[in-house]
Amino acid sequence: MAQAFKVASSTSPYADLPPICTALFEAKANKGLTFDQIGKAVGADEMWVASMFYGQAKLDPEQLEKLAEILDLPAANLKAEVGSHWWPSRAAVCEVPPRDPVLYRLFEGVLVYGQPIKALIHEKFGDGIMSMIDCKILVGKKPDPKGDRVVLTFDGKFLPYAKW
Amino acid sequence: MAQAFKVASSTSPYADLPPICTALFEAKANKGLTFDQIGKAVGADEMWVASMFYGQAKLDPEQLEKLAEILDLPAANLKAEVGSHWWPSRAAVCEVPPRDPVLYRLFEGVLVYGQPIKALIHEKFGDGIMSMIDCKILVGKKPDPKGDRVVLTFDGKFLPYAKW
Amino acid sequence: MAQAFKVASSTSPYADLPPICTALFEAKANKGLTFDQIGKAVGADEMWVASMFYGQAKLDPEQLEKLAEILDLPAANLKAEVGSHWWPSRAAVCEVPPRDPVLYRLFEGVLVYGQPIKALIHEKFGDGIMSMIDCKILVGKKPDPKGDRVVLTFDGKFLPYAKW
Amino acid sequence: MAQAFKVASSTSPYADLPPICTALFEAKANKGLTFDQIGKAVGADEMWVASMFYGQAKLDPEQLEKLAEILDLPAANLKAEVGSHWWPSRAAVCEVPPRDPVLYRLFEGVLVYGQPIKALIHEKFGDGIMSMIDCKILVGKKPDPKGDRVVLTFDGKFLPYAKW
Amino acid sequence: MAQAFKVASSTSPYADLPPICTALFEAKANKGLTFDQIGKAVGADEMWVASMFYGQAKLDPEQLEKLAEILDLPAANLKAEVGSHWWPSRAAVCEVPPRDPVLYRLFEGVLVYGQPIKALIHEKFGDGIMSMIDCKILVGKKPDPKGDRVVLTFDGKFLPYAKW
Amino acid sequence: MAQAFKVASSTSPYADLPPICTALFEAKANKGLTFDQIGKAVGADEMWVASMFYGQAKLDPEQLEKLAEILDLPAANLKAEVGSHWWPSRAAVCEVPPRDPVLYRLFEGVLVYGQPIKALIHEKFGDGIMSMIDCKILVGKKPDPKGDRVVLTFDGKFLPYAKW
Amino acid sequence: MAQAFKVASSTSPYADLPPICTALFEAKANKGLTFDQIGKAVGADEMWVASMFYGQAKLDPEQLEKLAEILDLPAANLKAEVGSHWWPSRAAVCEVPPRDPVLYRLFEGVLVYGQPIKALIHEKFGDGIMSMIDCKILVGKKPDPKGDRVVLTFDGKFLPYAKW
Amino acid sequence: MAQAFKVASSTSPYADLPPICTALFEAKANKGLTFDQIGKAVGADEMWVASMFYGQAKLDPEQLEKLAEILDLPAANLKAEVGSHWWPSRAAVCEVPPRDPVLYRLFEGVLVYGQPIKALIHEKFGDGIMSMIDCKILVGKKPDPKGDRVVLTFDGKFLPYAKW
Amino acid sequence: MAQAFKVASSTSPYADLPPICTALFEAKANKGLTFDQIGKAVGADEMWVASMFYGQAKLDPEQLEKLAEILDLPAANLKAEVGSHWWPSRAAVCEVPPRDPVLYRLFEGVLVYGQPIKALIHEKFGDGIMSMIDCKILVGKKPDPKGDRVVLTFDGKFLPYAKW
Amino acid sequence: MAQAFKVASSTSPYADLPPICTALFEAKANKGLTFDQIGKAVGADEMWVASMFYGQAKLDPEQLEKLAEILDLPAANLKAEVGSHWWPSRAAVCEVPPRDPVLYRLFEGVLVYGQPIKALIHEKFGDGIMSMIDCKILVGKKPDPKGDRVVLTFDGKFLPYAKW
C-alpha cells in the first residue's frame, strides 16, 4: 500500500488528543471512509462521530466496538483510552479567537450576528438561552447552480432562566 | 402613555451604535412590533432587520423609507445617519470572548464543534470555507413537548480556495 | 435627611447599568432596606433581587410594581427602563479575571476546584453539565464560634449531552 | 484484563501534574472505585481526594499510605512524588477563562452572580470576604423528577478586613 | 436639503479622531464626492486622502487649503486641528485583531500568507524588509465576468538590514 | 557535500508543521532551487508553492508527484503526510500580533491603512469584502535606482453581502 | 490663595473613584497635610487612610466625621458617598500588569521573588497562604548614608488550608 | 532509603529551570535541610538561596562550592550549569497574573495597596521609586495566639528620578 | 490670528493627561517654540520638558514659573494642576504593545535586540540592570548624505543586584 | 577541564533557537571569550555578534568561517544550520511584555519616554520614523565615581513617510 496516510501526531490538534485519536484519523483515511459511513456503522450522526474523533464527544461501549470493527482497530485499545472512564475535555482543540479561516468564519458569524440572534431568541422565547448541551448540529450540502451551499443547523432546546 | 419604553443609550451596545439605533429600538418597543412584523413591512427577513438595528447590516433607501413609515420616525433622519454614505462597522457590538450567556453558547458551539464542522466541510466540499458574507441566517422556533427548540440555520455558499 | 446616600453613577459597575439601577441602589440605601426585605416584598429570593439590581436578572411587571412600591419609585420609570422590552446583558459587570478580592475568591474556587468538581459531576451524573440557567444560587450565614461562615449554594439541574 | 484503562499522560491536564497522578487516575479506573470510596478509605471527603488527584490538595503521610493501599500502588512512590516535601501548584490545571463547558458554567456563575453575591456578603457580614482557603466544597446529587440536580456548596469562613 | 448626511461622532472610529475629521466625512457625503475626486483636487492619491480622513496621514498646508476649498470648509479650522503642528497617531483606529470582516480579511491575509511572503522577500532580496513607511498602497477595481475583483497593491522599498 | 543545509525542526514554525515540511525546506536548500523554479515544475505560482511549504496550501496528487520529482523525495511520503486526506490548518504559523519585523510590517499595513482601504472598497464596490479565499497573492521585484521595491499584490474577488 | 491645588478628576485613577475622593485629595493638598497627620486625626495608620483615599478601604462613620473635620469638608457629603452603604471595589485602580514604574517594581517583586517566598512560607508554616485580608501594610523610611531606604512590610496572618 | 524524594522535572516551574535545579530541590528534600540551614552554610540569607533554587539569583563560585558540599552534589556540575557564565532569566517562573493562591495574594497586595503605597513613597521620599534591584526581601514568622503571622519585608533603596 | 493651533483634548493621549497639558501643547504650537527653546528657558533638556508635556516628568516650582513665562500661561494654573502635590502616572500614555509606527520601532528595538543587550550588560558589568530611573535620554540629529540619522541615547546607571 | 560550561538547551531562550546556538554559547564560555573578542575576529561589532548568537542577525559565509575558527567549531555545521539558506525569526526570543528586569527596563524606557521621543523626532525631522532596520545599536561602559553607567545608543536612519 504505497499510500498509507498519516497524521502528524506531534502537531495541533492531534497532540492535544488522546493518542488513539491519531489512529482513528489514520484508519479512516486508509480505509477511505467518510464520517457518514462511519456514523451509519456506529449508529450516530456523522457530526457526532467527527466530534468524537476530535475528542469532543463520548461514545458508549457498544459504539466503540462498532467503531473498532469498521476501522479494524482493536476494541480494547479504544476502550482503554476513550472508554467509560474517559470524559471529553471539550473546546480544548479550538483556540480563542480561532485563526483557521474555516473556524474563523463560524466565529465571525457569532461576532456579527450574535446580538440580533439573541434579540430574536428573546422575542420568540423569552428570557433564556439556546442550549449547547441539548443541541444537535447538522452539516448539510445544498446544490446550487451559483455554487453549492453549506447548511449548518444548530437545533437546541430553549432553556428559560429559573427564578427563585 | 404611562409606559414609554426606553433603552439606556449610554450603555453597551447602544453607545457604540449610531444614535438613531436607540430611536429604532425605542420605537419598536413602544409600537409593540416584532422584528418579523418590521421585516415584512421593510421587505426583509426578521434577522436582517434585527442585524440592521444592531448596526450589522445596511438597508437601501427604499427600505429605510418603509422602516421610517412603520416606526413613525422621520425618514430623513434615518437616511442622514445610516443612509447610503454609511457602512456597518460589523462585529463591533460583540466582545471576544462574549460573556453574555446567550452569546456565549453560540461561541461555545464554535469552540466545541468547530473542528468537526471543518472536517465535514472539507470531506463534503473540498478545500475551502462556508462564506459568512454570502450567508443567510435564520432563527426558527420548533415546538417540542419536552421544551421548545431554537433552530438556528447558517446557509452559506461554499467558497473553494483559488489556486494560482 | 442629613444622610441621603448616593452611589457614584459614573463609576463601575453603575455606569454600565441602565440608569434606573443607580436609583434602585440609592433608594435601597436611603430606605435602609435589605435585599431580603425587598425580596420578600417582591416575592423573590434576595439573590434574585440583588441580581436584578446589577442588571443580571429580569423581573416581571407585577414584581416591578411591588419593587416600585417598597422603594417609593415611580413604577412607570422602572417599566420604561427595565420592563418587558428589556433583556439583561448578563455578565457585563464582572471583568475577566475579576480583581476585587470578594469576586476573585469565587473565581479562585473555580480555578482550584473546577477540575475535581467536573470529575465528581461526571462520576455521579455522567456526561453533561450543571446548568447555570436552571440554577438557584443561595447565600447563607452560618454562625460559628471560630468565625461565622458564608454558605454559598449552587443548585443547578444536571443536563446530559444530547446525542444524535 | 482486556480493558486496562489508560489516561493520556501527554495531554492536558495530566502533563502538568506530577507523573504519579496519571498512575492514580489509571489505578482508580482499573479498580473501578469512586472518589467517595477512595475518600472513605483515606479518611477525607471525595472532593478533597479528587482535588489531590488533580494536584490541588496535599495529603499527609498516613493518608498517602491508605491511598496506596486501596489503589495497590507502592506507598514509597507516592511519598517520593507528592510527599511531605511537595506543595501543590494550585490553579495550574484550569485555564483563564476555562473553555470546557462544565468548567465554564461554574465560571459563568461568577461572571453573572459575582456582584450580587458580593453585595449579599457585605450586607450580611460587613467588609470582608468568603475565604477560599478555609472553605469546604461539596458536590451533592439531588434527585428530581424533572431532572436530577447538582448541589454545589461552598462553605467558607468569613474573613473581615483587618484595620490598622 | 432633506438628506444632510451625518456621522456618529461619538462612536468608533470618529471619537478617536480630531473632531475636524467628522466634519470632513460629513462634507464629503453631503457634497457627494469620491475620495478620487478629492484626491485629484488636493493633488494626492485617493488612498492618501482617505488615510488623512482617518487620521493616518498628514497633508501639507497647501493641500489643506485645497481640501478646504473643495469641501467648503474654513481652511483655518483645518490648519488649526490637523495643520503643521499635528502628527498622526497612526494605527490608532484599528484594533488588534480587527473584528470588522473587511479589515479581518486583510489581517487574515497576513496570518495565512505572511510566512511565505517573508520567504519570497528573503529569496529575492536578501535579509531585510518591505518598508511600510516608504510604501504606496493602491486600491484598484478589475472588472471580471465572474465578479469584479479588488486589486490591492503594496509597493514598498526593500530595506536591507544594516550591519555594523 | 560539505554543506548539507538543515532546518531546526524543533523550532517555530517547523515544529508546528507536518514533519515532511522540514524535509521540503531542506531539499530545496540542498538542491539550490528557488520557489519560482519549484513552482514552474509543479505548475503553480511561487507563492502558492511557498504557502504549501508552510502548511498554508494544498497541492493535488499530480502536483505532489512533480514536487517529489524535482526535490528527489519519495512521492509516497509526500502523499502520506500532506495528500488528499490532509487539510491545511491555515494561519497556525503566524502569531498575533506577529513579532518578526517582516511580518510585522505587513500587519502594520493593515493597522494603519485598513480603515481607508475599507472606505475605498465600499466606495468603489458597495457593501461587501475582498475575498481572502478567492484571492491571488503575488510578490514582485521592481528595480529602482533609489533601492529596489517589493510589489505585493492581493487580487481578490469582491463579495457583496447577501441579503435575505 | 494663589495655589489652590487641583487633581484632574477626569483622568485615571480619579475618574474611577467616587467623586468625593477628588475632593479628599484636593483638600489634603490645599491643607498641606500628610497622610500620617490625617491618620493620627482619624485614628488609623497612614496606609489605611491613603487606601481609603484611593477607594481601597472603608472608614466607619466616626472616622468619616473626624476626616471631614480635619479636611474642612461636610461630613454629610462623605457619608453620602462613602458611608455605611458603600463598599470598596478593591483593586479597581491598578491595571494588570501595572505600567507606572513605582507600581511595577512592587509587581516585579512578586514576579521575581514570588516562588521563593511561597517556598519559605510552606517550609515555615505548612500548606496555606499569607492572608491579604487580615494583613497590615506599613511603609517606613530608613535613613542610610548610601541613600535612604523604603521599608515595606506585609504583616499577614497565616491561613492553613482547611481539610474536610 | 524508602523515601527518596523526587520533583517532577517535566512540570512547571522545574521544566523552565536549568536541570541542575531539579537536583538541588531533590537533594534538599532528601537531606532534610531547610533553606535557612543551607543559607547559613552558603553564607547567604535563606531568601537569596531559595531564589537561586528557582533560578532567580546568582551565587558566586565560592558559594556554589559550599552549596555543593552541604548537598553532596559535584561542585563541577553546579558551576557548569549555573556558574560564572550563567545569568538568571528573572521572573520566568511566575505567570501574569499568577494563579496559585499563595502567589496571587502577594499580587493582590500590589493591586489593592499599590496606589496608596506609591502615594506614601512620594510623600516621604519625593519623585522616585523603591528599587527592586537594591532590595532585600525577608520572610519572618511571628507567633500570635490568634494564628501565627507571616512578616514579609521589602527593604529597598529609594531611587530619585534623574533630571537632565 | 488665523491659525490658532489646537489639540484634540478628547482624544488620546491628551484625554489621559491633566487638562493643563492640552494648554501647554497649544501654547507651544501657537508660540512656534521648539522643545529645545522651551528647555533652555526652563533650564532642562528638551527631552525632560517634552516628557513633562506628556505627563511623564515633574518640574519643580521654579521651572514651572519659567515655563509659564515663556508660554504666557498663568503660573498659578500650572502649579494648581501639576505642582508640588502632583506626581506623574508614568507610562500611562503608551499602550502595550504600541501601535504607532514611531513608538513601535522603539519597542521592536527591545524585542529584537533586548537579549543581546542583556548579554552585553552582564558581560561588561555583571549581574544587574541599567537603571531607567537614573537614566538620561537624548535625541540627536546626525546629518548623513544618505539620509539624516536619529541618534537616541540612553545613559543609565548600572545597578548591581543586592545580595543578602 | 573541570568546568566545562553548559547552557540548558531545553529552556528558554535556547530551546527556541537553532540547536547550533547552544553550541555557540557553550564554546564562548569554555573559551573564555567576550563578544568583543569574537566580534573583532569575525569583523563585526560585539552587538551584531551577540545578536547572531540569539538568532537575531545573520552572518555571511566568510564571517561564519571566522566564527567557527575562533570557537573551534566545524564551519560546516554552522553553515548547515545558520548558513545562506537561513533567515532570522527576529523578536522570537523576547516575550511581550518582557518580564526579566533587564529587558523590562528597556521596555519601560519606551513606555515612559516613547511619546516624548516621538515628539522630538517629529519636531526635528518631520513626519517619519527612526528605522530599526538601518539602525546600529551600541552598548558602552562609562566609568563614573557614583557608579558606572551603561550608554546604550540607537543610531538609526530617519525615514520620511512616502506620499503618493
Side-chain angles (χ1 to χ4, degrees), chain E residues 118-123 126-127, chain F residues 2-9 11 14 21-35 53-54, chain J residues 18-20 52 58-61 64 75-89:
Chain E
K118 178 183 169 180
L120 287 176
I121 289 176
H122 281 334
E123 192 175 273
D127 190 18
Chain F
Q3 235 171 290
F5 293 117
K6 288 190 284 184
V7 303
S9 61
T11 64
Y14 310 108
C21 291
T22 301
L24 290 174
F25 282 105
E26 292 184 342
K28 173 180 178 296
N30 286 315
K31 290 268 171 189
L33 294 167
T34 63
F35 281 115
F53 273 55
Y54 283 100
Chain J
I20 196 76
M52 185 268 169
K58 189 177 161 92
L59 295 184
D60 60 38
L64 287 177
N77 290 10
L78 272 168
K79 289 182 186 170
E81 286 202 41
V82 291
S84 58
H85 72 304
W86 173 81
W87 305 101
S89 286

Side-chain angles (χ1 to χ4, degrees), chain B residues 22-50:
Chain B
T22 300
L24 291 174
F25 282 105
E26 292 183 341
K28 172 181 178 296
N30 286 315
K31 291 267 171 188
L33 294 167
T34 64
F35 281 115
D36 185 54
Q37 292 169 320
I38 298 171
K40 285 195 169 62
V42 165
D45 186 77
E46 61 181 353
M47 184 68 199
W48 190 252
V49 168

Side-chain angles (χ1 to χ4, degrees), chain E residues 11-48:
Chain E
T11 65
S12 172
Y14 310 109
D16 300 322
L17 299 175
I20 195 76
C21 291
T22 300
L24 291 175
F25 282 105
E26 293 184 341
K28 173 181 178 296
N30 286 314
K31 290 268 172 188
L33 294 167
T34 63
F35 281 116
D36 185 54
Q37 291 170 321
I38 298 171
K40 284 197 169 61
V42 165
D45 186 77
E46 60 181 355
M47 184 69 200
W48 191 252

